[in-house]
Amino acid sequence: MLVLRRVSFLLSSPSPRAPLAKPLLLLRPPQTLAPTARQLVAMAASVPSAGGAGTMSRDAFRAAVTNTLERRLFFVPSFKIYGGVAGLYDYGPPGCAVKANVLAFWRQHFVLEEGMLEVDCPCVTPEVVLKASGHVDKFTDLMVKDEKTGNCYRADHLLKDFCKDKLEKDHTLSPEMAEEYNRVLAILDDLTAEQLGAKIREYKIVAPDTKNSLSDPYPFNLMFQTSIGPSGLSPGYMRPETAQGIFVNFKDLYYYNGNKLPFAAAQIGQAFRNEISPRQGLLRVREFTLAEIEHFVDPEDKSHPKFGDVSDLEFWMFPREDQMAGRSATRLKLGNSISEGTVNNETLGYFIGRVYLFLTQLGIDKDRLRFRQHLPNEMAHYAADCWDAEIECSYGWIECVGIADRSAYDLRAHSDKSGEKLEAHEKFAEPREVEKLVITPSKKELGLAFKGNQKLVVESLEAMTETEALDMKAALESRGEVEFKVCTLGKNVTIKKNMVSINIEKKKEHQRKFTPSVIEPSFGIGRIIYCLFEHCFYQRPGKTEDEQLNVFRFPPLVAPIKCTVFPLVKLEKFEAVAKKISKALTAAGISHIIDMTGNTIGKRYARTDEIGVPLAITVDHTTSVTVRDRDSKDQIRVDVDEVASVVKEVTDGQSTWADIMWRYPAHTASAADEDGAQP
Amino acid sequence: MLVLRRVSFLLSSPSPRAPLAKPLLLLRPPQTLAPTARQLVAMAASVPSAGGAGTMSRDAFRAAVTNTLERRLFFVPSFKIYGGVAGLYDYGPPGCAVKANVLAFWRQHFVLEEGMLEVDCPCVTPEVVLKASGHVDKFTDLMVKDEKTGNCYRADHLLKDFCKDKLEKDHTLSPEMAEEYNRVLAILDDLTAEQLGAKIREYKIVAPDTKNSLSDPYPFNLMFQTSIGPSGLSPGYMRPETAQGIFVNFKDLYYYNGNKLPFAAAQIGQAFRNEISPRQGLLRVREFTLAEIEHFVDPEDKSHPKFGDVSDLEFWMFPREDQMAGRSATRLKLGNSISEGTVNNETLGYFIGRVYLFLTQLGIDKDRLRFRQHLPNEMAHYAADCWDAEIECSYGWIECVGIADRSAYDLRAHSDKSGEKLEAHEKFAEPREVEKLVITPSKKELGLAFKGNQKLVVESLEAMTETEALDMKAALESRGEVEFKVCTLGKNVTIKKNMVSINIEKKKEHQRKFTPSVIEPSFGIGRIIYCLFEHCFYQRPGKTEDEQLNVFRFPPLVAPIKCTVFPLVKLEKFEAVAKKISKALTAAGISHIIDMTGNTIGKRYARTDEIGVPLAITVDHTTSVTVRDRDSKDQIRVDVDEVASVVKEVTDGQSTWADIMWRYPAHTASAADEDGAQP
């Protein structure tokens, strides 16, 4: 069932910026609960096994990963000595280094290589901005309260848990009820407060902790609210996404880019969501790092000059039609998905390709990565197309990057609210002749007829659409007068022929003004990192039969520490060499640790394998040393003076271990070298 | 006067973690307002001119810098299209790149080179943590309200503005009153709410906007408050500093470090302070990036193994004694300041040296940087010593880095509040024999005597200090019984000889347990960057006489863009070369821009000088190109295939421009090459 469950953070459920599925829901009366497209997909799609877990169950695999992660301080629950806070986590030293590496690569891969304009805006955001974006009104989850204790629960979680529990544990369940529960699970995300409430009453669901009865579901806004300044009169929120900071700066950024389109702005920063009941460890948290790109384009030209660089890429895609027909994801060539119209436009396709390269270069398994297109009811009405990069982990398929063509929605929303024009212009090489509707109200006649209301009538006349104006023109010409509704007055007035002239005139235009479309790739950095942890984790047998050694096969790019230095035994001459090598590594900018403890080399290898260090240097001689590869456990001998540059070559990605292995003599490991973690 | 005005952000005024000056204030009755040490310094110190401003006034210099910074989008007020929010700023593309470079260098210089443990904790913090740290109760500024409109003001700001205004503009001022106002300015930071209120009433200070009368001053907590989770019952705050996230993780980090001291943890992240009325642009803001280090040491051994690396450094220091004697800052050799006892200990001194190297390598002028020791009344009672790295800019001397030996205060505070032991231990090579006081209450006798109160009496007995216990022992031996106050019972009880045995016993101890001291260098990244902007800014004449061209002389390390590529004229062959060079620069990881506009080369140079690009490549040939240095305007000719590696050599800091200039033929600039910004 997880296949289609939107574990959404980029667009929450329901998204404020994408008031999704509203039209569809209105067409679907609650009592029928008819199977939807998404339900069909959910039924058809198989749940693949968590690769890398081997014969372990998903739960055992997850337990092994998270145990290693917490024990080695990749991350820990925040404020643990005070009992912690649900949904808040600290990255410890290795986790923090992985995160810094992922962000540095993101900056290199997107900002630097694409010449994006990076900005850095505050988290504290005044209400007006999030009112314009829709978050104040719509960024909510449906909540129910225990009627006696006041404990809060997410309404959809309770209903989901109830249905799953019935399906898994109630062996007396009739086939009809099983079908009903499956159907509810499939449409869970689309239920209104009323529908959810009706189901909770129908199934007699009570508070899980107390068995008390529950309130009706009502929307709870997921933003952390605060107050800006001392007066208490300026409400503010901790931003739920970084995107708004870019939109409100559009005008300056467009100017910075020489008033030219397309261009992209990017931002990395903290975002905040006050989840009702955080679940799934690092996947649904209350504070997280987002990296977002807003690529502004001319809506009439969404081609991309560098699309050719990615068009030959082939990877798993899951187009809307395949989902609705109950088929599985398929491997598609990106170029074909554009030429066949599966992906809406080249720019969107280009970013899908770049995201694929980004994730796989980080170490995400390309066979547990797919791009899933949003179904019609998942997308906002204004969105042109939307694809999620989903990564499979022990929790199922997790949305880690959202790539959406949001058309002109966001810029228009801020333009309307602020009164500041957020638009671009295209200068024509030659002026163009265009036909233009010109509405000229006669202020004198309107003033005589409507006195104090004249202004509102004038504004309404000028605001007519082309069709309305042409209809009025025809009516005035045939009948001499017409009834006209002035919304701002709340009534109809009679417009006579002498009160307004409506004409189509030919005009020369030198430029075209328009609101740019925006294509938005939005990265949940914490989710990507968690999936990376799972994809890189494996176990291998230790010295004793039942001992399992944990390894993270991080690529050098993301490895928290690139290299360790071990003096084989506690001898001053070895320690001197270790320090010399350490100095050379520092000068080369390579993060490393020296382990001077007297532990066996095998134990020291096991400890660094467990935090994913790619290379280990063992100082067993004063002129040359052993370099050992984490995954193959192969060892070579390298001169002391050369070793830092060899390590740099591999960890910078200029060479692979396989490349350099043949250049240096092999070192045959003695049995003692790899004796597992036991002392 | 600015010389001593603490423009403090690291420790606010008054700091929650440093309830500073309280003891001194109690000794100083409000009516006397006697001159303090700090007032003496304020009177003695001269206000140096803002170097780099040449003959310009400070205000004109600042206007020129900030105008350039805002126009070129280094930073802009946040949410500008909605009128902005005081104290919130966005970094635009070049500012964002400078910030990323400063942070990357910080990570290299401190975390990587010193092997620190970096962590990354959330901004949202539950109340209990900030209750323990003192922020909930003491992190306040004194505020007054306009009694009619409710507008809020910082009480000390109003008093300061009033006194300065009188001193500057009131030509009828008597010498006595001038002395009085000067005295008030000098002791401003130390005034209590009552004292401030008395002065405001005495001077009849009213609300600046309305002339209405003002409320009495009262403390306003500077933390942004919010609520964690949906219940509304878990108050939380946006962290006012990152340090607490490290302290609460001490136990795990100590374990991660192999249960060994010393070690340092570090964190970079956002911090938040809801200032009453933000001033001074980027220097006092409501959200900012901090980079903090907590170096944990054995309080009995604060030596540092690498102190020798910095002991020969010589720079401006301003010891406490010199400030109090009215002397100026002096150049001191760091090694001497330790051997002479000016700086409390080697570890503190080591960090002062490392901070000096960090700031000057960024581009801070070493003659506008000084380390000022805190005066006794600025320091918390528990602090061993504290030095601020102050940088001079057009606002005066600004505290940018605080380096404090905070003893065991923070760990103890969290230990007490959480009940979790936050301590280290030192294993002895040989067990040591120690004399230990052993108090053994007889539960049986005490139970018979005090029944239900037995437990409280036992606890009070066990909690006695050594002196109390020895006094009791003596009394029991001489008199057989003694009156004993049990605080938890709120009364005295009679303790008899058979109820407790008190002895001094010899014991063998295998280890020593203690709470580590912490030495905390805390960096205000935004302040450092703003000062860097001022120190790097200069103007030089353009083509026309009155034209001034703006230049930021950023070192390559921090320059937002390392290099520009200009095809001399719009020719396909030049553009092809430019693209080839761009590709090579990207591959080398060098941030650059290509400017294909038809502007003159001079205009293009001027535009990139203004954002501090160190090197410009002009493509004026297909096999070799011109490379131009920003500051000297010298030009050399370099082969197309070689140019990326030459640029990398300079921008990576392996060579200076002077180094490479002699290796390549000079290119004589034609008059047209440097024609200023005019087209």
Side-chain angles (χ1 to χ4, degrees):
Chain A
M1 235 20 82
L2 271 174
V3 176
L4 265 198
R5 174 75 190 92
R6 263 183 313 120
V7 186
S8 57
F9 69 102
L10 302 164
L11 303 172
S12 121
S13 43
S15 161
R17 292 164 57 204
L20 77 175
K22 283 274 161 58
L24 261 191
L25 265 185
L26 293 177
L27 295 174
R28 209 186 314 133
Q31 68 277 17
T32 63
L33 291 174
T36 65
R38 293 172 73 195
Q39 183 187 9
L40 291 172
V41 195
M43 289 169 169
S46 65
V47 180
S49 76
T55 54
M56 285 170 106
S57 75
R58 284 189 171 208
D59 288 348
F61 176 75
R62 188 193 301 153
V65 180
T66 51
N67 176 291
T68 309
L69 290 172
E70 289 204 32
R71 193 165 34 77
R72 298 310 302 273
L73 244 57
F74 279 87
F75 70 87
V76 290
S78 300
F79 316 114
K80 221 167 57 173
I81 61 170
Y82 292 104
V85 176
L88 295 180
Y89 291 90
D90 296 343
Y91 288 90
C96 200
V98 168
K99 185 177 170 189
N101 293 337
V102 168
L103 291 177
F105 180 56
W106 193 88
R107 230 177 220 129
Q108 168 70 27
H109 186 81
F110 292 105
V111 179
L112 189 61
E113 284 194 30
E114 308 285 347
M116 292 177 178
L117 308 181
E118 191 178 346
V119 300
D120 183 9
C121 309
C123 301
V124 175
T125 306
E127 185 168 55
V128 63
V129 173
L130 296 161
K131 192 90 188 166
S133 68
H135 286 88
V136 172
D137 296 324
K138 291 178 196 152
F139 191 57
T140 55
D141 271 344
L142 292 171
M143 180 161 93
V144 288
K145 271 198 177 183
D146 181 318
E147 288 197 324
K148 285 190 185 146
T149 65
N151 282 354
C152 303
Y153 303 94
R154 254 183 75 166
D156 59 343
H157 282 180
L158 291 189
L159 183 54
K160 182 179 165 187
D161 291 348
F162 176 87
C163 293
K164 288 181 85 170
D165 218 53
K166 281 282 177 193
L167 287 167
E168 282 166 21
K169 295 180 188 158
D170 186 347
H171 301 296
T172 65
L173 207 61
S174 67
E176 295 74 34
M177 283 313 290
E179 200 191 337
E180 150 98 3
Y181 292 139
N182 270 317
R183 198 175 282 151
V184 169
L185 285 173
I187 58 163
L188 203 60
D189 292 339
D190 297 338
L191 297 181
T192 62
E194 291 69 31
Q195 291 168 329
L196 263 175
K199 279 287 147 197
I200 286 173
R201 281 192 301 276
E202 183 188 333
Y203 297 158
K204 301 193 169 51
I205 298 175
V206 292
D209 306 321
T210 61
K211 311 298 171 207
N212 293 332
S213 58
L214 294 165
S215 73
D216 282 333
Y218 61 96
F220 170 73
N221 194 297
L222 296 177
M223 291 194 292
F224 284 99
Q225 192 173 0
T226 190
S227 185
I228 305 175
S231 71
L233 302 173
S234 305
Y237 299 90
M238 303 311 297
R239 63 180 175 194
E241 57 176 20
T242 66
Q244 302 307 323
I246 297 177
F247 296 133
V248 299
N249 278 316
F250 171 78
K251 213 175 157 179
D252 280 345
L253 293 168
Y254 180 59
Y255 171 77
Y256 188 85
N257 200 51
N259 289 334
K260 283 198 174 55
L261 284 187
F263 74 90
Q267 181 166 200
I268 298 172
Q270 292 303 89
F272 303 82
R273 300 198 182 173
N274 197 8
E275 296 285 349
I276 294 170
S277 50
R279 293 177 167 200
Q280 297 186 308
L282 286 186
L283 296 179
R284 186 175 286 279
V285 292
R286 284 178 166 151
E287 181 176 338
F288 47 94
T289 302
L290 280 183
E292 298 191 292
I293 295 165
E294 309 295 331
H295 181 93
F296 298 100
V297 286
D298 184 338
E300 294 178 11
D301 178 12
K302 294 181 180 174
S303 65
H304 197 289
K306 286 161 76 183
F307 182 70
D309 295 356
V310 296
S311 61
D312 284 341
L313 290 174
E314 197 179 308
F315 44 77
W316 293 105
M317 296 188 83
F318 203 4
R320 185 181 296 146
E321 283 67 32
D322 287 341
Q323 295 172 54
M324 295 172 72
R327 291 188 292 265
S328 305
T330 44
R331 286 180 64 84
L332 286 179
K333 206 166 166 178
L334 190 52
N336 295 346
S337 75
I338 294 290
S339 57
E340 288 161 14
T342 311
V343 172
N344 182 280
N345 59 72
E346 257 187 32
T347 299
L348 194 62
Y350 179 71
F351 278 111
I352 290 175
R354 292 290 292 167
V355 168
Y356 171 82
L357 291 174
F358 173 73
L359 293 173
T360 51
Q361 283 175 48
L362 281 183
I364 293 294
D365 177 357
K366 63 183 174 13
D367 287 321
R368 281 186 283 162
L369 166 63
R370 71 180 185 194
F371 289 84
R372 189 181 70 78
Q373 190 173 29
H374 277 203
L375 293 170
N377 65 340
E378 286 178 274
M379 269 201 326
H381 60 92
Y382 51 77
D385 196 3
C386 187
W387 292 76
D388 286 342
E390 294 185 334
I391 305 177
E392 202 205 12
C393 73
S394 66
Y395 292 103
W397 286 96
I398 304 298
E399 174 201 351
C400 290
V401 187
I403 310 155
D405 182 337
R406 301 178 49 78
S407 75
Y409 180 79
D410 308 279
L411 289 181
R412 285 224 180 97
H414 284 296
S415 210
D416 289 350
K417 188 85 180 176
S418 68
E420 192 84 48
K421 274 186 186 158
L422 304 177
E423 55 187 25
H425 50 260
E426 179 202 7
K427 280 212 175 96
F428 299 139
E430 301 272 303
R432 293 184 192 170
E433 194 160 85
V434 288
E435 290 196 334
K436 254 204 142 163
L437 179 81
V438 180
I439 301 170
T440 318
S442 162
K443 291 198 180 154
K444 190 183 149 204
E445 298 297 333
L446 290 166
L448 286 171
F450 304 114
K451 308 217 164 59
N453 291 335
Q454 182 231 34
K455 191 164 163 273
L456 296 177
V457 178
V458 167
E459 283 171 0
S460 286
L461 285 170
E462 287 173 343
M464 283 189 291
T465 64
E466 191 165 327
T467 321
E468 285 165 356
L470 294 178
D471 285 352
M472 181 180 278
K473 183 183 170 71
L476 289 176
E477 276 164 12
S478 62
R479 286 180 278 140
E481 67 174 50
V482 68
E483 286 296 285
F484 176 60
K485 179 160 192 189
V486 179
C487 293
T488 46
L489 280 178
K491 63 174 185 183
N492 283 2
V493 298
T494 305
I495 299 292
K496 294 186 178 156
K497 208 173 173 180
N498 61 352
M499 292 179 184
V500 60
S501 84
I502 297 168
N503 290 301
I504 291 187
E505 292 175 11
K506 287 195 174 168
K507 279 202 166 183
K508 281 210 171 172
E509 283 200 340
H510 297 266
Q511 63 173 4
R512 183 183 133 235
K513 285 188 183 174
F514 59 93
T515 305
S517 281
V518 64
I519 289 166
E520 176 188 85
S522 174
F523 298 70
I525 297 299
R527 289 186 167 198
I528 293 171
I529 290 174
Y530 178 75
C531 291
L532 187 64
F533 287 153
E534 281 206 7
H535 286 204
C536 289
F537 184 81
Y538 67 99
Q539 293 187 313
R540 57 186 176 198
K543 201 181 178 185
T544 60
E545 211 169 286
D546 55 350
E547 188 190 27
Q548 289 291 316
L549 300 178
N550 305 309
V551 188
F552 283 106
R553 65 164 88 79
F554 296 127
L557 179 70
V558 293
I561 289 162
K562 310 300 181 199
C563 173
T564 42
V565 185
F566 304 135
L568 180 64
V569 284
K570 278 203 163 199
L571 281 178
E572 209 170 292
K573 60 176 184 176
F574 286 173
E575 295 191 358
V577 172
K579 279 183 186 160
K580 187 181 168 190
I581 293 173
S582 167
K583 217 163 182 176
L585 290 169
T586 299
I590 296 168
S591 67
H592 63 282
I593 39 173
I594 312 189
D595 184 345
M596 300 272 199
T597 60
N599 290 328
T600 64
I601 281 296
K603 194 171 176 184
R604 285 186 272 179
Y605 283 157
R607 281 187 58 78
T608 57
D609 289 347
E610 206 174 44
I611 55 169
V613 182
L615 298 175
I617 300 169
T618 301
V619 181
D620 47 7
H621 204 276
T622 52
T623 54
S624 74
V625 293
T626 303
V627 180
R628 178 245 196 199
D629 172 59
R630 176 193 59 212
D631 297 303
S632 65
K633 301 197 268 181
D634 291 333
Q635 301 187 24
I636 54 174
R637 293 208 64 78
V638 182
D639 278 0
V640 166
D641 294 333
E642 217 178 324
V643 71
S645 67
V646 166
V647 170
K648 191 175 169 63
E649 210 180 312
V650 175
T651 56
D652 274 9
Q654 291 155 29
S655 305
T656 64
W657 175 258
D659 294 336
I660 62 151
M661 234 192 93
W662 306 108
R663 301 205 324 245
Y664 296 91
H667 174 84
T668 314
S670 70
D673 282 5
E674 293 279 353
D675 62 357
Q678 301 308 318
Chain B
M1 234 23 79
L2 272 174
V3 176
L4 263 200
R5 173 76 189 93
R6 263 183 312 122
V7 186
S8 58
F9 69 102
L10 301 165
L11 303 173
S12 120
S13 42
S15 161
R17 291 164 58 203
L20 76 177
K22 283 274 160 60
L24 261 190
L25 267 184
L26 293 176
L27 295 173
R28 209 188 314 131
Q31 67 277 19
T32 63
L33 291 174
T36 64
R38 295 173 71 197
Q39 182 185 11
L40 291 172
V41 195
M43 289 169 169
S46 65
V47 179
S49 76
T55 55
M56 285 170 107
S57 75
R58 283 190 172 209
D59 288 348
F61 175 76
R62 188 193 303 154
V65 180
T66 52
N67 176 292
T68 309
L69 289 172
E70 289 205 32
R71 193 164 36 76
R72 298 309 303 273
L73 243 57
F74 279 87
F75 70 87
V76 290
S78 300
F79 315 113
K80 221 168 58 175
I81 61 170
Y82 292 104
V85 175
L88 295 180
Y89 291 90
D90 296 343
Y91 288 90
C96 199
V98 168
K99 185 178 169 191
N101 293 337
V102 168
L103 292 177
F105 180 55
W106 192 88
R107 228 177 222 130
Q108 168 69 28
H109 187 80
F110 291 104
V111 180
L112 190 60
E113 284 193 32
E114 307 285 349
M116 293 177 177
L117 308 183
E118 192 178 346
V119 299
D120 182 9
C121 308
C123 301
V124 174
T125 306
E127 185 168 55
V128 63
V129 173
L130 297 160
K131 192 88 187 168
S133 68
H135 287 87
V136 171
D137 296 324
K138 292 175 195 154
F139 190 57
T140 54
D141 271 344
L142 293 170
M143 179 161 93
V144 289
K145 271 198 177 184
D146 181 317
E147 287 197 327
K148 284 189 186 149
T149 66
N151 281 353
C152 304
Y153 304 93
R154 256 183 74 164
D156 59 342
H157 281 179
L158 291 188
L159 183 55
K160 180 179 166 188
D161 291 348
F162 176 87
C163 294
K164 288 183 83 171
D165 218 55
K166 281 281 176 195
L167 287 166
E168 282 167 20
K169 296 181 186 158
D170 186 348
H171 301 296
T172 66
L173 207 61
S174 69
E176 295 74 34
M177 281 314 289
E179 200 191 336
E180 150 99 2
Y181 292 140
N182 269 319
R183 198 175 284 152
V184 169
L185 284 174
I187 58 163
L188 202 60
D189 292 338
D190 297 337
L191 297 180
T192 62
E194 291 68 31
Q195 291 168 326
L196 262 175
K199 278 287 148 198
I200 286 173
R201 279 190 302 275
E202 181 187 335
Y203 297 159
K204 298 194 172 54
I205 298 175
V206 292
D209 306 321
T210 60
K211 312 296 170 209
N212 294 332
S213 58
L214 294 165
S215 73
D216 282 334
Y218 61 97
F220 170 73
N221 194 297
L222 297 177
M223 291 194 291
F224 283 100
Q225 193 174 359
T226 190
S227 185
I228 305 175
S231 70
L233 303 172
S234 305
Y237 299 89
M238 303 311 300
R239 63 180 176 195
E241 57 176 21
T242 66
Q244 302 307 323
I246 296 177
F247 296 134
V248 299
N249 278 315
F250 170 78
K251 213 175 156 182
D252 280 345
L253 293 168
Y254 180 59
Y255 171 77
Y256 188 84
N257 201 53
N259 289 334
K260 283 199 175 54
L261 284 187
F263 75 91
Q267 181 166 201
I268 299 172
Q270 292 303 89
F272 303 81
R273 301 200 182 173
N274 196 10
E275 296 285 349
I276 294 170
S277 50
R279 292 176 166 200
Q280 297 185 308
L282 286 187
L283 295 180
R284 186 175 286 278
V285 292
R286 286 179 165 150
E287 181 178 337
F288 46 94
T289 301
L290 280 183
E292 297 191 293
I293 295 166
E294 308 297 331
H295 182 94
F296 298 99
V297 286
D298 185 336
E300 294 179 11
D301 178 11
K302 294 182 180 174
S303 66
H304 197 289
K306 287 161 77 183
F307 182 72
D309 295 355
V310 296
S311 61
D312 284 341
L313 290 175
E314 197 179 309
F315 44 78
W316 292 105
M317 296 188 84
F318 203 4
R320 185 182 297 145
E321 282 66 33
D322 288 340
Q323 296 171 53
M324 294 172 73
R327 291 189 292 266
S328 305
T330 45
R331 286 181 64 85
L332 286 180
K333 205 166 167 178
L334 190 52
N336 294 347
S337 75
I338 294 289
S339 58
E340 288 160 14
T342 312
V343 173
N344 183 278
N345 59 72
E346 257 188 30
T347 298
L348 194 62
Y350 179 71
F351 278 112
I352 291 175
R354 293 289 294 166
V355 168
Y356 172 81
L357 291 173
F358 173 73
L359 293 173
T360 51
Q361 282 175 47
L362 281 183
I364 293 294
D365 177 357
K366 63 183 175 11
D367 287 321
R368 282 186 284 162
L369 165 63
R370 71 181 185 193
F371 289 84
R372 188 180 71 77
Q373 190 173 29
H374 277 204
L375 293 170
N377 65 340
E378 287 178 273
M379 268 199 329
H381 60 93
Y382 50 78
D385 195 5
C386 187
W387 292 77
D388 287 341
E390 294 184 334
I391 305 177
E392 201 205 12
C393 73
S394 66
Y395 291 102
W397 286 96
I398 304 299
E399 175 202 351
C400 289
V401 186
I403 310 156
D405 182 336
R406 301 178 50 77
S407 75
Y409 180 79
D410 307 280
L411 288 182
R412 284 222 181 98
H414 284 295
S415 210
D416 289 349
K417 187 85 180 175
S418 68
E420 191 85 49
K421 274 186 186 158
L422 304 178
E423 55 187 23
H425 49 260
E426 180 201 7
K427 280 212 174 94
F428 299 139
E430 301 270 303
R432 292 182 193 173
E433 193 160 85
V434 288
E435 291 196 332
K436 254 204 142 162
L437 180 80
V438 179
I439 301 170
T440 317
S442 160
K443 291 197 182 157
K444 189 183 149 202
E445 298 296 334
L446 290 165
L448 286 171
F450 304 114
K451 306 216 165 60
N453 291 336
Q454 181 232 34
K455 191 165 162 272
L456 297 177
V457 178
V458 168
E459 282 170 0
S460 286
L461 286 170
E462 286 173 341
M464 283 189 293
T465 64
E466 190 164 328
T467 323
E468 287 164 356
L470 293 178
D471 285 353
M472 181 180 279
K473 184 182 169 71
L476 289 177
E477 276 164 12
S478 62
R479 288 180 275 141
E481 65 175 52
V482 68
E483 286 295 283
F484 176 61
K485 181 162 191 189
V486 180
C487 293
T488 45
L489 279 179
K491 63 174 186 184
N492 283 1
V493 298
T494 306
I495 299 290
K496 296 188 177 153
K497 206 173 172 180
N498 60 353
M499 292 179 185
V500 61
S501 84
I502 297 168
N503 291 302
I504 290 186
E505 293 175 8
K506 287 194 176 169
K507 279 202 165 184
K508 282 210 171 169
E509 283 200 339
H510 297 265
Q511 62 172 7
R512 182 184 134 238
K513 284 188 182 175
F514 58 93
T515 305
S517 282
V518 64
I519 289 167
E520 177 189 84
S522 174
F523 298 71
I525 298 297
R527 289 185 165 196
I528 293 171
I529 290 174
Y530 178 76
C531 292
L532 187 63
F533 287 153
E534 281 205 7
H535 287 203
C536 288
F537 184 82
Y538 67 99
Q539 293 187 313
R540 56 187 176 198
K543 200 181 180 186
T544 60
E545 212 169 287
D546 55 352
E547 188 190 27
Q548 288 291 316
L549 299 179
N550 305 308
V551 188
F552 282 107
R553 65 165 88 80
F554 296 128
L557 180 70
V558 294
I561 290 161
K562 310 300 180 200
C563 171
T564 43
V565 185
F566 304 136
L568 181 65
V569 284
K570 277 204 164 200
L571 280 178
E572 209 170 290
K573 60 176 182 175
F574 286 173
E575 296 190 358
V577 172
K579 279 184 186 162
K580 188 182 168 187
I581 293 172
S582 167
K583 217 162 180 177
L585 291 169
T586 299
I590 296 167
S591 68
H592 63 281
I593 39 173
I594 312 188
D595 184 345
M596 299 272 198
T597 61
N599 290 329
T600 63
I601 281 296
K603 195 172 176 183
R604 285 186 273 180
Y605 282 157
R607 281 186 58 78
T608 57
D609 289 347
E610 207 174 43
I611 56 169
V613 182
L615 298 175
I617 300 169
T618 301
V619 180
D620 48 6
H621 203 276
T622 53
T623 54
S624 74
V625 293
T626 303
V627 180
R628 177 243 195 203
D629 171 59
R630 175 194 61 211
D631 296 305
S632 66
K633 299 197 270 182
D634 291 332
Q635 300 187 24
I636 55 174
R637 293 207 63 80
V638 181
D639 278 358
V640 167
D641 294 332
E642 216 178 325
V643 71
S645 68
V646 167
V647 170
K648 191 174 169 62
E649 210 179 312
V650 175
T651 56
D652 273 8
Q654 292 154 28
S655 305
T656 65
W657 174 258
D659 294 335
I660 62 151
M661 235 191 95
W662 306 109
R663 300 205 325 244
Y664 296 92
H667 174 85
T668 315
S670 71
D673 282 3
E674 294 278 353
D675 62 358
Q678 301 307 317

